[in-house]
Amino acid sequence: DAGITQSPRYKITETGRQVTLMCHQTWSHSYMFWYRQDLGHGLRLIYYSAAADITDKGEVPDGYVVSRSKTENFPLTLESATRSQTSVYFCASKVGHSYEQYFGPGTRLTVT
Amino acid sequence: DQQVKQNSPSLSVQEGRISILNCDYTNSMFDYFLWYKKYPAEGPTFLISISSIKDKNEDGRFTVFLNKSAKHLSLHIVPSQPGDSAVYFCAASLLSTASKLTFGTGTRLQVTL
């Protein structure tokens, strides 16, 4: 299917576990982004990537790791999950010259 | 420090009336502004945008107004419809290759019958 997809859509994990959230886009957009949405904070940028093998920190990167070996994939890893990382995570992508970002459906992550 | 603020967490409007959603920003270097709409269990979808060189942009029932001197933008929806009930986020961007977006906290709009 064309577009941007995220998996899993829902995930429950325990404190201290490693968990990886997947993001895949079929548009060959150069830029990809990870956000978290929390009540009272809106969407906050975690990491972004300008191209394969190029990543940079956003506003709230602590506790997260990203990689981008292929243009279409941008996984987000929580190396040792904490309860404060309970959130809804959104992946987004855009073409290099535009402002508009296209969002995936989100992953709701609960850390117990 | 919240650079983009939406001070009204919620808004209720009757069907057919005008909905006005407000957004304030603190960074005068922002040069592009966007509004996104979000339904429950879905990702945000782009609605309308405006460049800092304009003061108004219109798309059907949706109009965005920008007041640079006040660092304020607003989204007008006329007439409001029940399907407009959603959370609306404003976002701002600085001109750069990445053009990262800074989002507000969102306003939940409920359009009642």
Side-chain angles (χ1 to χ4, degrees):
Chain A
D1 288 350
I4 184 165
T5 56
Q6 294 183 235
S7 61
R9 293 295 312 277
Y10 302 91
K11 176 75 176 177
I12 300 174
T13 191
E14 294 177 341
T15 301
R17 298 256 190 182
Q18 182 180 82
V19 60
T20 296
L21 310 184
M22 304 301 293
C23 178
H24 175 79
Q25 53 105 354
T26 60
W27 294 306
S28 299
H29 285 172
S30 55
Y31 279 88
M32 296 187 75
F33 304 82
W34 274 107
Y35 294 89
R36 59 178 290 173
Q37 183 195 0
D38 304 289
L39 199 62
H41 291 280
L43 288 95
R44 291 181 292 174
L45 182 64
I46 303 171
Y47 268 96
Y48 68 101
S49 168
D53 299 321
I54 301 174
T55 62
D56 207 349
K57 296 179 180 178
E59 181 185 354
V60 288
D62 293 342
Y64 303 95
V65 174
V66 293
S67 62
R68 196 167 174 206
S69 57
K70 292 183 178 181
T71 300
E72 62 266 32
N73 296 324
F74 191 37
L76 176 75
T77 298
L78 288 67
E79 293 189 303
S80 178
T82 65
R83 289 194 182 89
S84 66
Q85 292 177 309
T86 292
S87 187
V88 181
Y89 291 85
F90 290 100
C91 179
S93 70
K94 77 175 186 79
V95 295
H97 60 268
S98 89
Y99 291 94
E100 182 184 334
Q101 295 180 18
Y102 297 85
F103 283 80
T107 294
R108 181 175 292 276
L109 176 68
T110 302
V111 183
T112 62
Chain B
D1 183 28
Q2 194 79 23
Q3 294 191 70
V4 179
K5 300 178 184 179
Q6 295 177 256
N7 292 318
S8 298
S10 64
L11 175 68
S12 182
V13 172
Q14 259 188 330
E15 181 181 10
R17 306 293 288 265
I18 183 172
S19 295
I20 301 176
L21 293 87
N22 295 304
C23 180
D24 297 294
Y25 60 96
T26 57
N27 189 342
S28 58
M29 298 300 291
F30 286 138
D31 64 346
Y32 202 82
F33 304 89
L34 306 88
W35 284 94
Y36 279 82
K37 177 179 181 179
K38 186 185 176 309
Y39 291 120
E42 295 183 12
T45 55
F46 170 74
L47 189 58
I48 192 170
S49 62
I50 188 167
S51 165
S52 61
I53 63 173
K54 296 184 175 180
D55 54 17
K56 176 182 174 181
N57 189 27
E58 193 171 354
D59 184 3
R61 296 186 297 114
F62 303 91
T63 303
V64 57
F65 296 92
L66 176 62
N67 182 334
K68 289 188 292 293
S69 60
K71 296 193 186 67
H72 177 84
L73 66 154
S74 60
L75 174 68
H76 292 210
I77 307 174
V78 182
S80 300
Q81 299 174 353
D84 296 329
S85 297
V87 176
Y88 290 78
F89 292 97
C90 68
S93 184
L94 292 163
L95 178 62
S96 71
T97 52
S99 297
K100 293 178 287 183
L101 298 180
T102 301
F103 283 86
T105 52
T107 296
R108 182 177 301 277
L109 172 66
Q110 183 176 10
V111 180
T112 59
L113 298 173

